[in-house]
């Protein structure tokens, strides 16, 4: 899962980035409204954390532009403390949730997870697929109840496939959601990651559609 954080307070931005990275997310940072607005318009994100008070272009303007352009990723806005007007305006401009500053990083993480899972049409916090369970809150993965150790990239790949299970996901889409903006992306790495996941979780779980991509399938469909 890839998240954009637009926040001009560099300390807050760094804390949010660290928290999200530790929780297994890929994070792109922008420190002003122009850069943040551009990234949100041009890159695929699974969620955005958007400060409203930003230099160059303010958060509300960016948010309205995204929504007008049909960008529908979940957006959590950060508002100044106790300004109910800002919260209301933010929600009306297309925000999905808000958090007033100062906030607890744990709360930000929990709200973001809830937004991402609702965007994927799920109510349960734990991703389940046959005998496989992925808990985005703890990055814990179990298969038939046994803990499976995954690297950060393996976890991101699996988590993205779990959020979109049943759908065929192209290598390009996977690459865009498991790497940050500045990363030198190599789609051959995806094959390696998929093969490592198959070794750890069983070969029947991830189906290859030649020339199209990968699909998480229920083991009985996979034989
Ligand atoms: Ca600010």
């Amino acid at each position: 899962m890839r998240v954009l954080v637009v926040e001009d307070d560099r300390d807050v931005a760094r804390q949010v980035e660290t928290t999200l990275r530790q929780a297994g997310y890929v994070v792109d940072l922008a420190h002003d409204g122009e850069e943040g607005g551009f990234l949100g318009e041009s890159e695929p994100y699974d969620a955005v954390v958007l400060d409203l008070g930003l230099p160059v272009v303010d958060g509300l303007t960016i948010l309205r532009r995204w929504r007008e352009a049909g960008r529908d990723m979940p957006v959590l806005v950060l508002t100044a403390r106790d300004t109910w007007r800002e919260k209301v305006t933010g929600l009306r401009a297309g925000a999905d949730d808000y958090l007033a500053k100062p906030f607890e990083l744990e709360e930000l993480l929990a709200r973001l997870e809830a937004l991402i899972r609702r965007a994927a049409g799920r109510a349960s916090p734990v991703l389940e697929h046959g005998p496989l369970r992925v808990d985005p809150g703890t990055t814990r993965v179990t298969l038939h109840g046994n803990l499976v150790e995954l690297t950060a990239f393996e976890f991101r790949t699996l988590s993205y496939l779990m959020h979109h299970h049943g759908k065929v996901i192209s290598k390009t889409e996977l690459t865009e959601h498991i790497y940050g903006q500045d990363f030198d992306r190599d789609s051959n790495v995806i094959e390696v990651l998929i093969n490592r996941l198959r070794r750890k979780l069983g070969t029947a779980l991830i189906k290859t559609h030649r020339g199209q991509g990968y699909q998480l399938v229920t083991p009985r469909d996979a034989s």
Side-chain angles (χ1 to χ4, degrees):
M1 297 284 125
R2 187 171 166 200
V3 178
L4 171 65
V5 176
V6 192
E7 165 63 86
D8 58 317
D9 182 326
R10 285 175 191 256
D11 287 337
V12 175
R14 210 168 298 124
Q15 285 168 12
V16 170
E17 182 189 19
T18 306
T19 303
L20 293 177
R21 280 194 205 281
Q22 281 167 353
Y25 293 94
V26 190
V27 183
D28 287 344
L29 276 185
H31 297 298
D32 66 61
E34 191 174 16
E35 191 194 0
F38 172 74
L39 284 174
E41 236 163 66
S42 53
E43 295 284 323
Y45 291 104
D46 298 294
V48 178
V49 177
L50 176 66
D51 182 33
L52 290 186
L54 289 170
V56 193
V57 186
D58 70 278
L60 277 176
T61 304
I62 301 176
L63 181 56
R64 287 199 187 99
R65 279 187 201 157
W66 287 341
R67 294 318 193 206
E68 276 165 22
R71 306 291 288 174
D72 62 355
M73 64 283 193
V75 174
L76 175 90
V77 293
L78 302 177
T79 66
R81 190 177 200 168
D82 292 335
T83 52
W84 65 269
R85 261 177 221 287
E86 229 182 22
K87 293 171 194 165
V88 171
T89 319
L91 291 169
R92 291 213 168 117
D96 300 276
D97 199 1
Y98 62 82
L99 205 50
K101 291 179 178 180
F103 54 85
E104 293 295 325
L105 290 161
E106 276 293 306
E107 185 177 0
L108 175 94
L109 188 59
R111 283 181 184 270
L112 211 58
E113 275 163 16
L115 287 184
I116 291 172
R117 78 176 177 252
R118 268 186 255 136
R122 289 181 306 108
S124 163
V126 177
L127 298 160
E128 278 188 77
H129 185 79
L132 186 65
R133 285 170 65 92
V134 172
D135 185 344
T138 58
T139 71
R140 215 177 116 92
V141 176
T142 59
L143 184 68
H144 295 290
N146 301 313
L147 194 65
V148 183
E149 297 280 354
L150 297 184
T151 65
F153 278 111
E154 289 165 8
F155 179 82
R156 286 178 199 160
T157 308
L158 178 65
S159 155
Y160 194 79
L161 289 171
M162 292 282 279
H163 273 94
H164 302 275
H165 73 93
K167 287 209 307 206
V168 179
I169 310 291
S170 70
K171 268 190 207 173
T172 312
E173 183 175 345
L174 267 179
T175 309
E176 282 173 342
H177 287 265
I178 68 167
Y179 291 112
Q181 183 205 1
D182 302 329
F183 207 90
D184 182 20
R185 299 171 189 171
D186 176 1
S187 66
N188 290 324
V189 175
I190 299 291
E191 273 172 45
V192 175
L193 286 169
I194 294 285
N195 286 332
R196 290 211 306 241
L197 282 173
R198 284 181 174 142
R199 265 206 302 281
K200 291 181 179 181
L201 303 168
T203 49
L205 204 69
I206 303 167
K207 191 173 167 180
T208 302
H209 291 261
R210 213 159 279 286
Q212 295 177 58
Y214 302 100
Q215 182 190 22
L216 199 66
V217 291
T218 43
R220 67 185 141 78
D221 299 335
S223 56

